[in-house]
């Protein structure tokens, strides 16, 4: 795996994006030092943006780079959330920390198990839409299971984790801000290195033409599972971080369709198959969602707007915002290339 | 002097960045059988698809009966009388033989002569009449090829393009199919065929083009090419057998 | 309620809704090769249309079939040419799928905004009528629903088998390119298939308004059930899709009765995964949806 990309080969556009990313990362990372993240509204907004960016980037790996549209991300998010919550409540790890990185990491483990269990049958036989719907079904099943988990999972109420926080602890959003930021950056780095390695080449080959990839000796199933599992793990971790903030995971919340559709729409808007895409999408869409509700007379309309945006993007700008200015406009599409060679 | 039915000028076709055809020119006279031969990947099927309107060329022109057909959709080309029998037949397996034929005569002009065309097809391929109500998928290889050609005939075409008619067929069956193609031609239908079986193709055609990696490298009458040393060595083999 | 037979009958009756939805999905999938996830949401949309026709204009819901279905067909054509035509030409299934997702999100929330989140349902006198006999109680509205489903399936089936355009649709479902080669306008064929799929949603909407209490979110889970029904029934056969719906209905009612209402969803999706894993072409399907890599 190449660690440091050859700067000369990268091209001007990519360098510009990389520069912007670096500046933004430094800015966001140091923000809490000169802005009161805890009481200022931007603290919360950015926290949510980071969470969404993580889930979007995770989806980007399986959906954008590998071309397998997973519709079950909310399952992994909720699973991560509840894993962390239940491990905490039943004090399984006994580490004694309140904000426990072990729990967060474990929050990413159960989704991986689920991803492999579910991924093996779904990805080995199914292509395209049917895989998507298989994952959708999984999300729904999980939702139901947790709703009916009785005392163990807290049923519809979920678990009130606030009871388990040490009494004398003052919770500052800063901790969560940094945790979310860290996870988002880590996710981005993981996805970046995965996709710029040989693994990434295989994934893109699978996205372009599975049959051709298989006939060239690519173990299609293995790579799909890897992408799916990593995507699940990262989504689960995001769920755990989110729960640490919310302290009240409810099935209706952590398994909600918002964690399914919004990350997909964000990635699509920002640009599937690009590293910066999920970030752009997360910022733009979340800000629209957050502020649109405050505009007089406009509240409740933003989901409609989001749907329209997605359709427009798919029709006219399939490579998203990150694809603006690229030579080949249709990066998402393969299909009858000969037709377009006018 | 025979009329020029189809004229292709300097046609180039690309799949994305990959050039499939480079400046290909061919001419098909009215009433003739013209063969396109060459090894795999030479671009023969690509050329037929471009003529049929399935692919858009990056440069070049095509004229049919003196009129330009550039930019016309497949539907319009079929309407003008250009029909393709694709590689692998591409029959509608779950539909009956009769339904396959009916779909061949979908356009109004073809529908008008439906009965006449059907008679013609059943005369050429009697076995199709017997199996008219059976599913196309149950036919044997040779019968399927006949149905594929028959389906094209239903469109009341002036030019029938046949892509690899002998694919998957035994030598005996291939010979039978070729005889039928000749019979079709004798009824007045012009034929443009792409064929791996060079020997047979050259025997029945009046003109032939040899293609290699997207360009035309040789052309001449069937007899000329059959006799040519280069062609024999490259494609037919020293003993004149089928490759 | 008590006997197995009663549960079974209820299953068949309720399953007919899934059946119509599944038939629509099958048709759309056949030519466009996408699973139109917004099908359930469209059914809810037309249920609202039927509801408002009744509330505001006093139109009998069964008569509004004659409004809903043609309207749905027109809406379907409009949607196709506006939104799917370009995607269909690009031949990228992911793009079409995502458009369908966007559409679902859009319509769902539009309904929420315009018609609020209050559950709706028609209150009709006929809803109380029950046919009783042989120890069974059969609700008439549900029976009519089954009737609508059967008639719809019959009409579509006749269209496919007996008309030229219908034969072209069947051909296109098998091989789009070969269909184009016959001079058939493949865009038009896709448009018609899609529109008929939506028209079926319109018919289902009538059923939904008369039998269920629905809200804007109802469509999503409904679409999933339709998908399960489709998996059970298989692609390529209108009556097969309908049968898949009926079977799912029975499974659901049995699960509800013997295991508990809360577990219906889990059982449905469980069945879905099982079918996908072990019987990918469904019970009556002509072709498999599944291709091995």
């Amino acid at each position: 795996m190449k660690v440091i990309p050859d700067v000369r080969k990268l091209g001007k556009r990519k360098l510009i994006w990389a520069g912007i990313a670096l500046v933004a990362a430094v800015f966001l990372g140091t923000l809490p030092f000169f802005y009161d993240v805890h009481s200022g509204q931007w603290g919360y907004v950015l926290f949510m943006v980071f969470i969404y960016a993580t889930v979007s980037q995770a989806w980007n790996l399986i959906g954008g780079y590998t071309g397998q549209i997973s519709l079950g991300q909310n399952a992994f998010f909720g699973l991560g959330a509840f894993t962390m919550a239940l491990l905490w409540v039943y004090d399984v790890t006994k580490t004694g920390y309140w904000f426990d990185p072990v729990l967060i990491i474990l929050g990413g483990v159960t989704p991986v198990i689920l991803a492999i269990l579910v991924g093996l049958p779904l990805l080995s036989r199914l292509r395209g839409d049917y895989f998507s719907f298989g994952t959708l079904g999984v999300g729904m099943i999980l939702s139901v299971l947790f709703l009916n988990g009785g005392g163990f999972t807290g049923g519809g109420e979920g678990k009130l984790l606030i009871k388990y926080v040490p009494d004398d602890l003052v919770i500052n959003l800063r901790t969560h801000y940094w945790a979310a930021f860290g996870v988002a950056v880590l996710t981005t780095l993981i996805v970046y290195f995965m996709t710029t390695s040989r693994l990434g080449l295989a994934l893109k080959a699978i996205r372009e033409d599975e049959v051709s990839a298989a006939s060239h000796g690519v173990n299609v199933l293995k790579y799909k599972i890897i992408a799916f599992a990593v995507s699940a793990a990262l989504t689960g971790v995001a769920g755990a971080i989110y729960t640490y903030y919310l302290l009240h995971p409810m099935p209706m919340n952590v398994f909600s369709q918002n964690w399914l559709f919004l990350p997909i729409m964000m990635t699509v808007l920002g640009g599937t198959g690009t590293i910066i895409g999920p970030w752009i999408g997360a910022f733009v869409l979340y800000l629209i969602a957050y502020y649109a509700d405050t505009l007089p007379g406009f509240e409740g309309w933003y989901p409609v707007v989001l749907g329209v945006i997605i359709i427009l993007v798919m029709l006219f700008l399939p490579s998203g915002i990150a694809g603006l200015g690229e030579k080949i406009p249709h990066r998402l599409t393969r299909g009858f290339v000969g037709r377009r060679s006018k | 002097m025979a009329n020029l039915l189809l004229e292709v000028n300097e046609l180039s076709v690309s799949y994305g960045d990959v050039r499939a055809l480079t400046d290909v020119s061919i001419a098909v006279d009215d009433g003739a059988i013209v063969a396109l031969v060459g090894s795999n990947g030479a671009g023969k099927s690509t050329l037929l698809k471009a003529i049929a309107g399935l692919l858009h060329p990056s440069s070049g022109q095509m004229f049919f009966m003196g009129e330009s057909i550039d930019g016309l959709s497949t539907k319009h080309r079929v309407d003008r009388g250009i029909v393709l029998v694709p590689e692998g037949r591409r029959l509608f397996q779950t539909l009956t033989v009769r339904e396959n034929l009916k779909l061949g005569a979908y356009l109004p002009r073809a529908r008008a002569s439906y009965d006449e065309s059907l008679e013609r097809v059943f005369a050429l391929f009697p076995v199709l009449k017997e199996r008219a109500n059976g599913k196309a998928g149950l036919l044997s290889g040779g019968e399927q090829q006949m149905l594929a050609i028959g389906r094209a005939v239903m469109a009341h075409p002036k030019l029938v393009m046949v892509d690899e008619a002998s694919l998957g067929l035994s030598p005996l069956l291939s010979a039978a199919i070729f005889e039928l193609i000749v019979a079709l031609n004798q009824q007045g239908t012009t034929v443009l065929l792409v064929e791996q079986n060079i020997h047979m193709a050259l025997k029945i055609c009046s003109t032939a083009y040899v293609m290699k990696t997207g360009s035309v490298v040789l052309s001449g009458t069937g007899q000329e090419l059959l006799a040519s040393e280069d062609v024999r060595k490259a494609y037919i083999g020293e003993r004149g057998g089928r490759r | 309620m008590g006997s197995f037979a009663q549960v079974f009958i209820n299953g068949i009756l309720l399953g007919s809704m899934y059946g119509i939805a599944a038939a629509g999905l099958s048709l759309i999938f056949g030519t466009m090769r996408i699973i139109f996830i917004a099908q359930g949401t469209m059914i809810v949309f037309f249920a609202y249309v039927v509801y408002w026709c009744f509330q505001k204009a006093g139109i009998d819901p069964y008569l509004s079939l004659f409004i809903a279905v043609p309207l749905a067909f027109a809406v379907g054509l409009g949607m196709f040419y506006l939104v799917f035509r370009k995607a269909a030409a690009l031949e990228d299934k992911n793009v079409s799928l995502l458009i369908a997702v966007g559409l679902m999100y859009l319509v769902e929330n539009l309904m929420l905004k315009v018609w609020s989140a209050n559950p709706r349902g028609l209150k009709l006198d006929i809803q109380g009528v029950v046919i009783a006999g042989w120890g069974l109680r059969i609700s008439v509205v549900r029976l009519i629903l089954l009737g609508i489903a059967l008639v719809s399936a019959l009409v579509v089936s006749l269209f496919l088998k007996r008309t030229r355009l219908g034969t072209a649709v069947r051909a296109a479902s098998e091989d789009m390119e070969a269909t184009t080669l016959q001079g058939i306008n493949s865009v038009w064929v896709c448009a018609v298939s899609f529109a008929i799929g939506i028209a079926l949603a319109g018919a289902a909407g009538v059923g939904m308004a008369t039998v269920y209490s629905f809200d804007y979110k109802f469509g999503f889970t409904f679409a999933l059930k339709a998908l399960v029904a489709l998996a059970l029934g298989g692609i390529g056969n209108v009556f097969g899709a309908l049968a898949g719906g009926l079977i799912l209905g029975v499974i659901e009612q049995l699960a509800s009765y013997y295991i508990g209402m809360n577990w219906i969803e889990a059982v449905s999706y469980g069945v879905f995964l099982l079918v996908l894993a072990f019987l990918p072409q469904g019970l009556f399907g002509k072709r498999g949806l599944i291709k091995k890599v």
Side-chain angles (χ1 to χ4, degrees):
Chain A
M1 269 191 352
K2 278 204 305 183
V3 175
I4 300 173
D6 189 346
V7 174
R8 285 164 300 168
K9 285 203 226 152
L10 269 182
K12 199 157 144 224
R13 265 184 76 259
K14 280 201 177 164
L15 275 177
I16 295 178
W17 280 119
I20 296 178
L22 201 56
V23 168
V26 167
F27 173 69
L28 291 171
T30 54
L31 188 69
F33 292 123
F34 51 87
Y35 174 80
D36 186 356
V37 159
H38 181 71
S39 33
Q41 65 172 356
W42 277 100
Y44 175 75
V45 169
L46 285 172
F47 171 75
M48 290 302 287
V49 168
F50 297 149
I51 299 279
Y52 273 109
T54 307
V55 181
S56 302
Q57 190 70 272
W59 184 85
N60 194 17
L61 181 63
I62 182 78
Y65 283 102
T66 321
Q68 312 299 307
I69 307 285
S70 160
L71 294 177
Q73 302 308 94
N74 58 333
F76 302 128
F77 189 83
L79 194 56
F82 268 98
T83 303
M84 169 252 150
L86 292 173
L87 287 178
W88 188 7
V89 165
Y90 293 105
D91 203 14
V92 172
T93 54
K94 299 199 184 335
T95 49
Y97 296 124
W98 161 63
F99 196 81
D100 194 347
V102 175
L103 285 188
I104 294 176
I105 294 174
L106 287 177
V109 168
T110 36
V112 169
I113 299 175
L114 179 68
I116 296 178
L117 274 178
V118 158
L120 274 173
L122 287 183
L123 288 169
S124 63
R125 297 164 192 253
L126 309 181
R127 284 215 295 215
D129 306 15
Y130 252 56
F131 162 71
S132 307
F133 287 88
T135 53
L136 197 57
V138 170
M140 304 302 292
I141 293 184
L142 232 58
S143 219
V144 172
L145 285 178
F146 276 90
L147 264 172
N148 291 320
F152 182 60
T153 60
E157 259 295 298
K159 287 285 186 193
L160 284 165
L161 297 176
I162 193 82
K163 294 188 289 184
Y164 298 89
V165 176
D167 288 329
D168 54 350
L169 197 68
V170 174
I171 301 176
N172 190 321
L173 184 51
R174 263 192 354 178
T175 333
H176 301 283
Y177 177 95
W178 269 321
F181 180 67
V183 167
V185 169
L186 186 65
T187 301
T188 302
L189 289 173
I190 291 178
V191 172
Y192 178 73
F193 286 122
M194 276 180 79
T195 55
T196 47
S197 69
R198 265 189 73 223
L199 168 69
L201 267 177
L203 295 180
K204 287 176 207 169
I206 294 174
R207 177 185 73 197
E208 295 302 318
D209 189 334
E210 261 184 62
V211 179
S212 167
S215 67
H216 281 100
V218 174
N219 186 339
V220 174
L221 181 60
K222 174 176 113 180
Y223 287 113
K224 280 187 185 176
I225 299 267
I226 291 177
F228 194 45
V230 171
S231 165
L234 294 170
T235 308
V237 168
I241 297 275
Y242 178 73
T243 305
Y244 254 121
Y245 171 71
L246 204 64
L247 290 176
H248 185 185
M250 292 193 294
M252 221 174 65
N253 183 353
V254 293
F255 284 110
S256 111
Q257 284 163 41
N258 275 341
W259 299 111
L260 164 58
F261 292 122
L262 284 179
I264 295 181
M265 294 202 255
M266 288 169 176
T267 310
V268 164
L269 175 65
T272 49
T274 67
I275 283 296
I276 198 92
W279 282 94
I280 299 175
F283 265 104
V284 172
L285 281 192
Y286 191 76
L287 287 174
I288 292 180
Y290 188 76
Y291 285 107
D293 254 5
T294 59
L295 286 177
F298 203 65
E299 61 260 346
W301 278 106
Y302 78 84
V304 177
V305 173
L306 289 185
V308 172
I309 290 178
I310 284 310
I311 295 178
L312 290 176
V313 166
M314 283 284 88
L315 287 180
F316 300 113
L317 198 64
S319 40
I321 293 178
L324 280 174
E326 261 198 5
K327 264 203 289 183
I328 304 169
H330 296 285
R331 294 222 294 125
L332 235 204
T333 65
R334 31 191 171 100
F336 232 178
V337 181
R339 281 198 144 180
R340 267 177 266 117
S341 56
K342 278 248 174 201
Chain B
M1 173 157 152
N3 280 329
L4 199 55
L5 186 65
L6 174 72
E7 192 185 336
V8 174
N9 276 339
E10 309 270 303
L11 201 74
S12 294
V13 173
S14 301
Y15 288 106
D17 290 329
V18 179
R19 229 20 147 76
L21 290 180
T22 310
D23 295 331
V24 169
S25 299
I26 66 168
V28 179
D29 288 332
D30 194 5
I33 300 183
V34 173
L36 288 176
V37 297
S39 43
N40 264 330
K44 317 187 294 289
S45 290
T46 308
L47 180 57
L48 288 195
K49 285 187 187 167
I51 299 173
L54 289 179
L55 295 174
H56 286 166
S58 42
S59 63
Q61 301 95 32
M62 294 182 273
F63 297 93
F64 188 70
M65 301 208 306
E67 287 175 23
S68 165
I69 55 172
D70 298 330
L72 282 187
S73 67
T74 305
K75 176 178 164 167
H76 287 117
R77 297 186 195 209
V78 171
D79 210 20
R80 297 231 183 154
I82 306 173
V83 181
L84 173 64
V85 180
E87 190 180 350
R89 339 294 168 210
R90 307 287 285 275
L91 294 173
F92 303 118
Q93 312 263 339
T94 57
L95 272 51
T96 65
V97 167
R98 197 180 287 275
E99 285 173 329
N100 269 274
L101 292 174
K102 243 178 131 176
L103 282 177
Y106 197 82
L107 292 178
R109 190 180 61 88
R111 242 187 302 152
S113 46
Y114 177 74
D115 295 316
E116 180 196 319
S117 300
L118 197 61
E119 286 245 359
R120 186 180 172 200
V121 170
F122 284 155
L124 271 170
F125 313 112
V127 69
L128 291 183
K129 188 169 185 183
E130 284 168 38
R131 314 279 229 119
N133 294 318
K135 287 246 176 5
L138 298 175
L139 296 177
S140 74
E143 290 164 355
Q144 289 201 358
Q145 187 61 58
M146 291 188 224
L147 177 57
I149 298 177
R151 187 174 60 176
V153 172
M154 293 302 292
H156 206 74
K158 299 201 177 56
L159 169 68
V160 172
M161 305 189 286
V162 186
D163 198 343
E164 303 286 2
S166 66
L167 199 65
L169 298 182
S170 68
L172 206 62
L173 270 175
S174 304
I177 296 288
F178 278 109
E179 270 178 41
L180 289 166
I181 290 179
V182 172
L184 183 65
N185 173 249
Q186 277 163 354
Q187 289 174 0
T189 310
T190 313
V191 176
L192 173 60
L193 52 98
V194 158
E195 192 44 59
Q196 283 266 52
N197 187 342
I198 295 187
H199 199 245
M200 284 228 222
L202 290 179
K203 269 177 67 181
I204 64 172
C205 72
S206 47
T207 320
Y209 294 88
V210 180
M211 288 184 67
K212 192 172 170 177
T213 54
S215 309
V216 172
V217 294
L218 273 181
S219 65
T221 68
Q223 298 307 106
E224 282 171 3
L225 289 175
L226 263 178
S228 143
E229 273 295 297
D230 301 324
V231 172
R232 288 193 100 91
K233 276 209 210 122
Y235 300 103
I236 302 185
E238 293 297 342
R239 282 179 285 126
R242 188 160 51 99
R243 210 182 213 219
Chain C
M1 264 250 297
S3 65
F4 175 81
Q6 180 69 57
V7 172
F8 188 83
I9 297 283
N10 281 343
I12 299 267
L13 296 180
L14 284 173
S16 52
M17 275 284 286
Y18 298 147
I20 311 183
L25 284 183
S26 176
L27 211 57
I28 296 175
F29 183 84
T31 49
M32 290 167 66
R33 290 286 188 271
I34 62 159
I35 306 254
F36 186 59
I37 189 181
Q39 182 75 341
T41 311
M42 295 312 295
I43 296 178
V44 169
F45 177 78
F46 292 112
Y48 268 109
V49 168
V50 170
Y51 176 81
W52 288 119
C53 279
F54 181 74
Q55 296 288 99
K56 301 278 175 173
I59 302 178
D60 177 82
Y62 295 116
L63 279 184
S64 52
L65 250 182
F66 297 102
I67 302 178
V69 170
L71 175 67
F73 187 81
V75 166
L77 280 180
M79 274 169 70
F80 180 84
Y81 278 107
L82 204 58
V83 160
F84 283 107
R85 179 198 188 156
K86 191 161 187 232
L90 288 174
E91 289 191 21
D92 189 306
K93 305 303 174 282
N94 285 346
V95 170
S96 296
L97 179 66
L98 290 172
I99 291 181
V101 168
L103 208 57
M104 185 186 88
Y105 207 70
L106 171 68
V107 174
E108 210 176 70
N109 287 288
L110 195 60
M111 295 193 294
L112 167 62
K113 200 64 190 111
V114 176
W115 288 319
S116 93
N118 294 333
R120 312 278 179 175
L122 289 176
K123 303 275 181 282
L124 305 168
D125 295 329
I126 200 177
Q127 282 167 345
V129 178
V130 161
I131 301 177
W134 304 287
L136 299 170
R137 297 171 57 81
I138 301 178
S139 154
V140 163
V141 267
R142 297 182 179 190
L143 198 59
I144 296 179
L145 178 55
L146 180 63
I148 295 178
L150 287 171
V151 169
S152 305
L154 191 63
V155 168
V156 173
S157 191
L158 283 174
F159 166 75
L160 289 175
K161 291 261 166 63
R162 297 288 168 87
T163 68
R164 226 164 40 95
L165 185 54
T167 310
V169 168
R170 279 189 294 142
S173 304
E174 215 191 290
D175 191 336
M176 188 59 80
E177 194 179 68
T179 311
T180 314
L181 284 176
Q182 311 311 314
I184 299 174
N185 185 345
S186 51
V187 172
W188 173 239
V189 166
C190 286
V192 168
S193 304
F194 186 77
I196 296 180
I198 304 295
L200 284 170
V206 171
M208 179 172 279
T210 54
V211 171
Y212 286 92
S213 166
F214 59 92
D215 65 17
Y216 76 103
K217 274 233 165 281
F218 202 53
F220 182 59
T221 34
F222 208 84
L224 296 188
K225 305 289 186 64
L227 188 60
V228 180
L230 186 63
L232 272 171
I235 304 274
N237 189 339
V238 178
F239 282 106
L242 187 60
L246 299 181
I247 295 174
L248 179 63
V250 171
I251 293 178
E252 278 199 341
Q253 290 305 307
L254 288 175
S256 171
Y257 186 63
Y258 290 112
I259 306 177
M261 245 181 63
N262 288 334
W263 293 96
I264 295 185
E265 313 276 311
V267 169
S268 306
Y269 303 126
V271 166
F272 184 47
L273 292 175
L274 284 175
V275 170
L276 289 185
F278 299 113
L279 198 64
Q281 71 277 13
L283 292 166
F284 312 104
K286 280 193 195 160
R287 303 187 290 286
L289 264 172
I290 317 304
K291 292 178 202 176
K292 274 210 135 112
V293 171

